[in-house]
Amino acid sequence: MNRRLITSMLSDRQIEDLITKALEARETSYCPYSRFRVGSALRTVDGKVFQGCNIENAAYGGAICAERTAFAKAISDGHRRFVAIAVACDYNHFITPCGICRQFMNEFGKDLEIFFVNDDRSYRRAVLEDLLPYAFGPENGPLK
Ligand SMILES: O=c1ccn([C@H]2C[C@H](O)[C@@H](CO)O2)c(=O)[nH]1
Ligand SMILES: [Zn+2]
């Protein structure tokens, strides 16, 4: 199903909850090198929400983004199916996931809704498939 042109699968209340949790998750960000705090909140199909933050490293390449932190927490707790993720940074800015995160998230479903959250709680919404067109995913690799 192509969900790009239709409205969110989430209710307004669920969207607001995800926004609150993404903004809150910034507080735990470990970002002494960039000073760019990012928080995320990932909702599973059964309604659980996992929060994530970016975690940087003295060896800069070892950093992990807020999006992948939330996915790692959820997957390692046994969840594989997700409906949406909200991402927020500290600025008046609609942050969008980096290329590594887009590929990482695509493994678990190109239908994922992504909410880019501004400091004032306003947001933009996209579907992962539109952020990573012609993706190489599990249906193309050795699992196909
Ligand atoms: O969508 C994004 C973009 C960037 N970052 C992090 C990585 C790094 O710690 C800092 C600056 O790029 O922000 C995220 O967590 N998510
Ligand atoms: Zn990323």
Side-chain angles (χ1 to χ4, degrees):
M1 178 179 50
N2 186 333
R3 283 165 36 185
R4 293 176 216 190
L5 299 177
I6 63 175
T7 51
S8 177
M9 301 288 282
L10 278 67
S11 68
D12 287 348
R13 196 165 152 201
Q14 290 168 346
I15 294 171
E16 290 306 315
D17 177 60
L18 220 52
I19 288 171
T20 299
K21 288 177 173 155
L23 291 167
E24 181 189 279
R26 295 177 308 186
E27 301 299 321
T28 54
S29 167
Y30 177 75
C31 57
Y33 306 104
S34 72
R35 305 241 170 245
F36 189 76
R37 299 193 314 168
V38 186
S40 70
L42 173 65
R43 185 179 175 91
T44 68
V45 289
D46 46 345
K48 293 198 168 58
V49 177
F50 289 86
Q51 290 172 292
C53 64
N54 55 332
I55 307 169
E56 298 186 343
N57 194 274
Y60 293 178
I64 182 171
C65 296
E67 296 91 323
R68 277 176 287 144
T69 299
F71 268 82
K73 286 171 69 177
I75 291 160
S76 60
D77 265 4
H79 300 274
R80 294 269 174 91
R81 295 176 60 219
F82 307 103
V83 285
I85 188 168
V87 194
C89 63
D90 267 332
Y91 301 94
N92 185 27
H93 175 58
F94 295 109
I95 186 173
T96 69
C98 78
I100 298 169
C101 288
R102 292 178 196 202
Q103 181 67 36
F104 189 96
M105 296 189 293
N106 183 69
E107 189 71 20
F108 303 97
K110 58 191 176 189
D111 278 350
L112 184 76
E113 292 182 44
I114 306 178
F115 293 89
F116 319 130
V117 180
N118 202 339
D119 230 9
D120 64 4
R121 299 182 64 89
S122 59
Y123 66 86
R124 300 281 180 269
R125 171 187 170 273
V127 173
L128 180 57
E129 191 174 7
D130 289 329
L131 300 185
L132 194 68
Y134 304 104
F136 184 82
E139 69 275 24
N140 309 116
L143 289 184
K144 83 168 162 45

Short mmCIF file of all heavy atoms in Angstrom, two decimals, residues 28-86:
data_model
loop_
_atom_site.label_atom_id
_atom_site.label_comp_id
_atom_site.label_asym_id
_atom_site.label_seq_id
_atom_site.Cartn_x
_atom_site.Cartn_y
_atom_site.Cartn_z
N THR A 28 18.67 13.56 27.25
CA THR A 28 19.69 12.56 27.58
C THR A 28 20.80 12.50 26.52
O THR A 28 21.72 11.68 26.63
CB THR A 28 19.04 11.16 27.72
OG1 THR A 28 18.29 10.88 26.54
CG2 THR A 28 18.14 11.09 28.93
N SER A 29 20.71 13.36 25.51
CA SER A 29 21.71 13.36 24.44
C SER A 29 23.13 13.49 25.00
O SER A 29 23.40 14.33 25.86
CB SER A 29 21.42 14.53 23.50
OG SER A 29 22.52 14.75 22.64
N TYR A 30 24.03 12.67 24.47
CA TYR A 30 25.46 12.80 24.80
C TYR A 30 26.16 13.32 23.56
O TYR A 30 26.42 12.56 22.62
CB TYR A 30 26.03 11.44 25.24
CG TYR A 30 27.52 11.50 25.51
CD1 TYR A 30 28.01 12.10 26.68
CD2 TYR A 30 28.43 10.98 24.60
CE1 TYR A 30 29.37 12.18 26.92
CE2 TYR A 30 29.80 11.05 24.84
CZ TYR A 30 30.26 11.66 26.00
OH TYR A 30 31.61 11.74 26.24
N CYS A 31 26.41 14.61 23.51
CA CYS A 31 26.93 15.23 22.28
C CYS A 31 27.98 16.30 22.58
O CYS A 31 27.84 17.44 22.13
CB CYS A 31 25.78 15.80 21.46
SG CYS A 31 24.79 17.02 22.36
N PRO A 32 29.04 15.94 23.33
CA PRO A 32 30.03 16.95 23.69
C PRO A 32 30.81 17.49 22.50
O PRO A 32 31.43 18.56 22.61
CB PRO A 32 30.95 16.20 24.66
CG PRO A 32 30.81 14.76 24.29
CD PRO A 32 29.38 14.60 23.86
N TYR A 33 30.80 16.78 21.38
CA TYR A 33 31.61 17.20 20.23
C TYR A 33 30.82 18.12 19.31
O TYR A 33 31.33 19.17 18.89
CB TYR A 33 32.17 15.97 19.50
CG TYR A 33 32.91 15.10 20.48
CD1 TYR A 33 32.35 13.92 20.97
CD2 TYR A 33 34.13 15.52 21.01
CE1 TYR A 33 33.01 13.16 21.94
CE2 TYR A 33 34.79 14.78 21.98
CZ TYR A 33 34.22 13.60 22.45
OH TYR A 33 34.87 12.88 23.41
N SER A 34 29.59 17.77 19.01
CA SER A 34 28.80 18.63 18.11
C SER A 34 27.94 19.64 18.88
O SER A 34 27.52 20.64 18.33
CB SER A 34 27.87 17.76 17.25
OG SER A 34 26.81 17.23 18.03
N ARG A 35 27.62 19.33 20.11
CA ARG A 35 26.66 20.13 20.90
C ARG A 35 25.31 20.25 20.18
O ARG A 35 24.57 21.21 20.34
CB ARG A 35 27.21 21.53 21.21
CG ARG A 35 28.54 21.50 21.90
CD ARG A 35 28.45 22.17 23.28
NE ARG A 35 29.69 21.92 24.03
CZ ARG A 35 29.77 21.22 25.15
NH1 ARG A 35 28.69 20.70 25.70
NH2 ARG A 35 30.91 21.04 25.76
N PHE A 36 25.01 19.25 19.41
CA PHE A 36 23.75 19.20 18.65
C PHE A 36 22.90 18.08 19.23
O PHE A 36 23.10 16.90 18.94
CB PHE A 36 24.08 18.95 17.17
CG PHE A 36 22.92 19.08 16.22
CD1 PHE A 36 22.45 20.33 15.86
CD2 PHE A 36 22.33 17.94 15.66
CE1 PHE A 36 21.39 20.45 14.95
CE2 PHE A 36 21.28 18.06 14.76
CZ PHE A 36 20.81 19.31 14.40
N ARG A 37 21.98 18.46 20.12
CA ARG A 37 21.17 17.45 20.81
C ARG A 37 20.03 16.98 19.92
O ARG A 37 19.33 17.80 19.31
CB ARG A 37 20.57 18.02 22.10
CG ARG A 37 21.60 18.49 23.11
CD ARG A 37 20.96 18.75 24.47
NE ARG A 37 19.71 19.52 24.37
CZ ARG A 37 18.85 19.68 25.36
NH1 ARG A 37 19.06 19.12 26.53
NH2 ARG A 37 17.75 20.40 25.19
N VAL A 38 19.84 15.66 19.87
CA VAL A 38 18.74 15.11 19.09
C VAL A 38 18.02 14.07 19.95
O VAL A 38 18.65 13.30 20.68
CB VAL A 38 19.24 14.44 17.78
CG1 VAL A 38 18.08 14.00 16.91
CG2 VAL A 38 20.16 15.38 17.00
N GLY A 39 16.69 14.09 19.85
CA GLY A 39 15.88 13.10 20.55
C GLY A 39 14.92 12.45 19.57
O GLY A 39 14.55 13.04 18.55
N SER A 40 14.54 11.22 19.88
CA SER A 40 13.58 10.53 19.01
C SER A 40 12.61 9.74 19.86
O SER A 40 12.89 9.43 21.03
CB SER A 40 14.31 9.60 18.04
OG SER A 40 14.85 8.50 18.75
N ALA A 41 11.48 9.41 19.27
CA ALA A 41 10.49 8.54 19.92
C ALA A 41 9.89 7.65 18.84
O ALA A 41 9.39 8.14 17.82
CB ALA A 41 9.41 9.37 20.60
N LEU A 42 10.00 6.36 19.07
CA LEU A 42 9.62 5.34 18.08
C LEU A 42 8.43 4.56 18.60
O LEU A 42 8.47 4.00 19.70
CB LEU A 42 10.83 4.40 17.87
CG LEU A 42 10.63 3.17 17.01
CD1 LEU A 42 10.32 3.56 15.55
CD2 LEU A 42 11.88 2.29 17.06
N ARG A 43 7.37 4.51 17.81
CA ARG A 43 6.13 3.82 18.22
C ARG A 43 6.02 2.47 17.52
O ARG A 43 6.11 2.39 16.29
CB ARG A 43 4.92 4.70 17.90
CG ARG A 43 3.61 4.13 18.40
CD ARG A 43 2.43 5.03 18.08
NE ARG A 43 1.20 4.40 18.48
CZ ARG A 43 0.63 4.55 19.67
NH1 ARG A 43 1.16 5.35 20.57
NH2 ARG A 43 -0.49 3.91 19.96
N THR A 44 5.82 1.42 18.32
CA THR A 44 5.66 0.07 17.76
C THR A 44 4.20 -0.14 17.34
O THR A 44 3.31 0.63 17.75
CB THR A 44 6.04 -1.01 18.79
OG1 THR A 44 5.07 -1.01 19.83
CG2 THR A 44 7.42 -0.76 19.38
N VAL A 45 3.93 -1.20 16.58
CA VAL A 45 2.55 -1.47 16.17
C VAL A 45 1.65 -1.75 17.37
O VAL A 45 0.45 -1.47 17.31
CB VAL A 45 2.43 -2.65 15.17
CG1 VAL A 45 2.98 -2.28 13.82
CG2 VAL A 45 3.11 -3.90 15.70
N ASP A 46 2.23 -2.26 18.45
CA ASP A 46 1.38 -2.50 19.63
C ASP A 46 1.37 -1.34 20.61
O ASP A 46 0.97 -1.48 21.76
CB ASP A 46 1.73 -3.85 20.31
CG ASP A 46 3.21 -4.04 20.49
OD1 ASP A 46 3.99 -3.31 19.86
OD2 ASP A 46 3.61 -4.92 21.28
N GLY A 47 1.83 -0.16 20.15
CA GLY A 47 1.61 1.05 20.92
C GLY A 47 2.67 1.39 21.96
O GLY A 47 2.49 2.33 22.74
N LYS A 48 3.77 0.63 21.97
CA LYS A 48 4.85 0.99 22.90
C LYS A 48 5.71 2.09 22.27
O LYS A 48 5.85 2.14 21.03
CB LYS A 48 5.72 -0.22 23.21
CG LYS A 48 5.02 -1.30 24.00
CD LYS A 48 6.02 -2.25 24.64
CE LYS A 48 5.36 -3.16 25.66
NZ LYS A 48 4.28 -3.98 25.08
N VAL A 49 6.27 2.94 23.10
CA VAL A 49 7.12 4.01 22.58
C VAL A 49 8.52 3.90 23.19
O VAL A 49 8.65 3.84 24.42
CB VAL A 49 6.52 5.40 22.86
CG1 VAL A 49 7.45 6.50 22.39
CG2 VAL A 49 5.16 5.53 22.17
N PHE A 50 9.52 3.86 22.33
CA PHE A 50 10.91 3.82 22.76
C PHE A 50 11.57 5.14 22.42
O PHE A 50 11.48 5.61 21.28
CB PHE A 50 11.66 2.67 22.06
CG PHE A 50 11.22 1.32 22.54
CD1 PHE A 50 10.11 0.68 21.97
CD2 PHE A 50 11.89 0.68 23.57
CE1 PHE A 50 9.69 -0.56 22.43
CE2 PHE A 50 11.47 -0.56 24.03
CZ PHE A 50 10.37 -1.19 23.46
N GLN A 51 12.25 5.72 23.40
CA GLN A 51 12.94 6.98 23.17
C GLN A 51 14.42 6.73 22.87
O GLN A 51 15.01 5.75 23.33
CB GLN A 51 12.83 7.86 24.42
CG GLN A 51 11.41 8.38 24.64
CD GLN A 51 11.27 9.07 25.97
OE1 GLN A 51 11.34 8.44 27.01
NE2 GLN A 51 11.04 10.37 25.95
N GLY A 52 15.00 7.64 22.10
CA GLY A 52 16.43 7.54 21.79
C GLY A 52 17.07 8.90 21.74
O GLY A 52 16.40 9.92 21.56
N CYS A 53 18.38 8.92 21.92
CA CYS A 53 19.14 10.18 21.79
C CYS A 53 20.40 9.88 20.99
O CYS A 53 20.80 8.72 20.85
CB CYS A 53 19.51 10.74 23.16
SG CYS A 53 20.62 9.67 24.08
N ASN A 54 21.04 10.93 20.47
CA ASN A 54 22.34 10.70 19.82
C ASN A 54 23.40 10.50 20.90
O ASN A 54 23.35 11.09 21.98
CB ASN A 54 22.69 11.83 18.85
CG ASN A 54 22.67 13.22 19.45
OD1 ASN A 54 21.94 13.48 20.40
ND2 ASN A 54 23.47 14.10 18.90
N ILE A 55 24.36 9.65 20.59
CA ILE A 55 25.44 9.31 21.52
C ILE A 55 26.75 9.41 20.74
O ILE A 55 26.99 8.61 19.82
CB ILE A 55 25.27 7.87 22.08
CG1 ILE A 55 23.86 7.68 22.69
CG2 ILE A 55 26.35 7.58 23.12
CD1 ILE A 55 23.52 6.24 23.03
N GLU A 56 27.53 10.42 21.08
CA GLU A 56 28.76 10.66 20.32
C GLU A 56 29.95 9.97 20.97
O GLU A 56 29.84 9.33 22.03
CB GLU A 56 28.97 12.17 20.17
CG GLU A 56 27.83 12.79 19.39
CD GLU A 56 28.00 14.26 19.08
OE1 GLU A 56 28.84 14.92 19.73
OE2 GLU A 56 27.28 14.75 18.19
N ASN A 57 31.10 10.08 20.31
CA ASN A 57 32.29 9.37 20.76
C ASN A 57 33.53 10.19 20.43
O ASN A 57 33.54 10.90 19.42
CB ASN A 57 32.36 8.00 20.04
CG ASN A 57 33.35 7.07 20.69
OD1 ASN A 57 34.53 7.09 20.38
ND2 ASN A 57 32.87 6.27 21.60
N ALA A 58 34.57 10.06 21.27
CA ALA A 58 35.82 10.77 21.03
C ALA A 58 36.38 10.42 19.64
O ALA A 58 36.99 11.26 18.97
CB ALA A 58 36.83 10.43 22.11
N ALA A 59 36.17 9.17 19.22
CA ALA A 59 36.45 8.79 17.83
C ALA A 59 35.16 9.11 17.07
O ALA A 59 34.18 8.36 17.15
CB ALA A 59 36.78 7.31 17.75
N TYR A 60 35.12 10.25 16.42
CA TYR A 60 33.86 10.82 15.93
C TYR A 60 32.98 9.83 15.16
O TYR A 60 31.76 9.86 15.26
CB TYR A 60 34.13 12.04 15.04
CG TYR A 60 34.72 13.23 15.73
CD1 TYR A 60 35.05 14.37 15.00
CD2 TYR A 60 34.97 13.24 17.11
CE1 TYR A 60 35.60 15.48 15.62
CE2 TYR A 60 35.54 14.34 17.73
CZ TYR A 60 35.85 15.47 16.98
OH TYR A 60 36.39 16.56 17.59
N GLY A 61 33.61 8.98 14.38
CA GLY A 61 32.84 8.04 13.54
C GLY A 61 32.04 7.04 14.36
O GLY A 61 31.16 6.36 13.81
N GLY A 62 32.32 6.95 15.63
CA GLY A 62 31.60 6.01 16.49
C GLY A 62 30.26 6.53 16.98
O GLY A 62 29.56 5.85 17.74
N ALA A 63 29.87 7.73 16.56
CA ALA A 63 28.59 8.29 17.02
C ALA A 63 27.41 7.49 16.49
O ALA A 63 27.46 6.91 15.39
CB ALA A 63 28.46 9.74 16.56
N ILE A 64 26.35 7.46 17.28
CA ILE A 64 25.09 6.85 16.82
C ILE A 64 24.00 7.91 16.94
O ILE A 64 23.97 8.69 17.91
CB ILE A 64 24.75 5.55 17.61
CG1 ILE A 64 23.46 4.92 17.08
CG2 ILE A 64 24.68 5.79 19.09
CD1 ILE A 64 23.17 3.54 17.64
N CYS A 65 23.14 7.95 15.94
CA CYS A 65 22.07 8.95 15.92
C CYS A 65 20.92 8.55 16.84
O CYS A 65 20.74 7.36 17.17
CB CYS A 65 21.50 9.10 14.51
SG CYS A 65 22.67 9.73 13.31
N ALA A 66 20.09 9.53 17.17
CA ALA A 66 18.94 9.31 18.04
C ALA A 66 17.97 8.28 17.46
O ALA A 66 17.37 7.49 18.20
CB ALA A 66 18.21 10.64 18.25
N GLU A 67 17.83 8.29 16.15
CA GLU A 67 16.89 7.36 15.51
C GLU A 67 17.35 5.91 15.72
O GLU A 67 16.57 5.04 16.10
CB GLU A 67 16.81 7.63 14.00
CG GLU A 67 16.24 8.99 13.64
CD GLU A 67 17.29 10.08 13.49
OE1 GLU A 67 18.27 10.06 14.27
OE2 GLU A 67 17.14 10.94 12.62
N ARG A 68 18.63 5.67 15.45
CA ARG A 68 19.12 4.29 15.59
C ARG A 68 19.17 3.84 17.05
O ARG A 68 19.00 2.66 17.35
CB ARG A 68 20.50 4.14 14.92
CG ARG A 68 20.37 3.92 13.42
CD ARG A 68 21.72 3.86 12.74
NE ARG A 68 22.32 5.18 12.68
CZ ARG A 68 23.62 5.43 12.80
NH1 ARG A 68 24.46 4.44 13.01
NH2 ARG A 68 24.07 6.67 12.71
N THR A 69 19.38 4.77 17.96
CA THR A 69 19.35 4.41 19.39
C THR A 69 17.96 3.88 19.76
O THR A 69 17.84 2.84 20.42
CB THR A 69 19.69 5.63 20.26
OG1 THR A 69 21.00 6.07 19.93
CG2 THR A 69 19.64 5.28 21.74
N ALA A 70 16.92 4.57 19.31
CA ALA A 70 15.55 4.12 19.63
C ALA A 70 15.28 2.76 19.00
O ALA A 70 14.69 1.87 19.64
CB ALA A 70 14.53 5.15 19.14
N PHE A 71 15.70 2.58 17.75
CA PHE A 71 15.50 1.28 17.09
C PHE A 71 16.25 0.17 17.84
O PHE A 71 15.72 -0.92 18.03
CB PHE A 71 15.96 1.33 15.62
CG PHE A 71 14.86 1.68 14.67
CD1 PHE A 71 14.48 3.01 14.46
CD2 PHE A 71 14.17 0.69 13.97
CE1 PHE A 71 13.45 3.34 13.59
CE2 PHE A 71 13.14 1.01 13.11
CZ PHE A 71 12.78 2.33 12.91
N ALA A 72 17.49 0.46 18.23
CA ALA A 72 18.28 -0.58 18.92
C ALA A 72 17.62 -0.97 20.24
O ALA A 72 17.56 -2.16 20.59
CB ALA A 72 19.70 -0.06 19.15
N LYS A 73 17.09 0.01 20.96
CA LYS A 73 16.40 -0.30 22.21
C LYS A 73 15.18 -1.17 21.95
O LYS A 73 14.93 -2.16 22.65
CB LYS A 73 15.98 1.00 22.91
CG LYS A 73 17.15 1.74 23.55
CD LYS A 73 16.75 3.13 24.04
CE LYS A 73 15.79 3.09 25.23
NZ LYS A 73 15.50 4.48 25.70
N ALA A 74 14.39 -0.80 20.95
CA ALA A 74 13.15 -1.53 20.67
C ALA A 74 13.44 -2.94 20.17
O ALA A 74 12.83 -3.92 20.64
CB ALA A 74 12.32 -0.76 19.64
N ILE A 75 14.36 -3.05 19.24
CA ILE A 75 14.64 -4.36 18.64
C ILE A 75 15.24 -5.29 19.69
O ILE A 75 14.89 -6.47 19.77
CB ILE A 75 15.54 -4.20 17.41
CG1 ILE A 75 14.75 -3.50 16.29
CG2 ILE A 75 16.07 -5.57 16.92
CD1 ILE A 75 15.59 -2.86 15.23
N SER A 76 16.10 -4.75 20.53
CA SER A 76 16.72 -5.61 21.54
C SER A 76 15.74 -5.96 22.66
O SER A 76 16.00 -6.85 23.46
CB SER A 76 17.99 -4.96 22.11
OG SER A 76 17.70 -3.72 22.69
N ASP A 77 14.59 -5.29 22.68
CA ASP A 77 13.51 -5.69 23.60
C ASP A 77 12.48 -6.57 22.89
O ASP A 77 11.40 -6.83 23.46
CB ASP A 77 12.81 -4.45 24.17
CG ASP A 77 13.39 -4.07 25.53
OD1 ASP A 77 14.35 -4.71 25.98
OD2 ASP A 77 12.85 -3.13 26.15
N GLY A 78 12.76 -6.98 21.67
CA GLY A 78 11.91 -7.96 20.99
C GLY A 78 10.91 -7.39 20.01
O GLY A 78 10.05 -8.12 19.51
N HIS A 79 10.98 -6.10 19.70
CA HIS A 79 10.02 -5.48 18.77
C HIS A 79 10.61 -5.41 17.36
O HIS A 79 11.79 -5.09 17.20
CB HIS A 79 9.61 -4.09 19.26
CG HIS A 79 8.98 -4.15 20.61
ND1 HIS A 79 7.63 -4.37 20.79
CD2 HIS A 79 9.52 -4.07 21.85
CE1 HIS A 79 7.37 -4.42 22.09
NE2 HIS A 79 8.50 -4.24 22.75
N ARG A 80 9.77 -5.67 16.36
CA ARG A 80 10.25 -5.64 14.97
C ARG A 80 9.36 -4.80 14.08
O ARG A 80 9.72 -4.53 12.94
CB ARG A 80 10.26 -7.06 14.39
CG ARG A 80 11.25 -8.00 15.03
CD ARG A 80 12.58 -7.95 14.30
NE ARG A 80 13.59 -8.73 14.98
CZ ARG A 80 13.85 -10.02 14.74
NH1 ARG A 80 13.18 -10.65 13.79
NH2 ARG A 80 14.77 -10.66 15.43
N ARG A 81 8.17 -4.46 14.57
CA ARG A 81 7.21 -3.77 13.69
C ARG A 81 6.88 -2.40 14.27
O ARG A 81 6.50 -2.27 15.43
CB ARG A 81 5.96 -4.63 13.52
CG ARG A 81 6.28 -5.95 12.79
CD ARG A 81 5.09 -6.86 12.71
NE ARG A 81 3.98 -6.24 11.98
CZ ARG A 81 2.70 -6.37 12.32
NH1 ARG A 81 2.35 -7.08 13.38
NH2 ARG A 81 1.77 -5.80 11.60
N PHE A 82 7.04 -1.40 13.42
CA PHE A 82 6.96 -0.01 13.87
C PHE A 82 6.01 0.78 12.98
O PHE A 82 5.88 0.49 11.79
CB PHE A 82 8.36 0.61 13.84
CG PHE A 82 9.37 -0.21 14.59
CD1 PHE A 82 10.29 -1.01 13.92
CD2 PHE A 82 9.38 -0.23 15.98
CE1 PHE A 82 11.20 -1.80 14.61
CE2 PHE A 82 10.27 -1.02 16.70
CZ PHE A 82 11.19 -1.80 16.00
N VAL A 83 5.38 1.78 13.57
CA VAL A 83 4.48 2.63 12.77
C VAL A 83 5.06 4.01 12.50
O VAL A 83 4.87 4.57 11.42
CB VAL A 83 3.07 2.78 13.38
CG1 VAL A 83 2.25 1.53 13.18
CG2 VAL A 83 3.11 3.16 14.83
N ALA A 84 5.78 4.57 13.47
CA ALA A 84 6.23 5.95 13.29
C ALA A 84 7.39 6.28 14.21
O ALA A 84 7.55 5.68 15.28
CB ALA A 84 5.08 6.91 13.59
N ILE A 85 8.18 7.26 13.77
CA ILE A 85 9.23 7.81 14.62
C ILE A 85 9.16 9.33 14.53
O ILE A 85 8.91 9.88 13.44
CB ILE A 85 10.63 7.26 14.24
CG1 ILE A 85 11.69 7.69 15.27
CG2 ILE A 85 11.04 7.69 12.83
CD1 ILE A 85 13.03 6.96 15.12
N ALA A 86 9.34 9.99 15.66
CA ALA A 86 9.45 11.46 15.68
C ALA A 86 10.87 11.81 16.06
O ALA A 86 11.49 11.14 16.88
CB ALA A 86 8.47 12.05 16.69
#
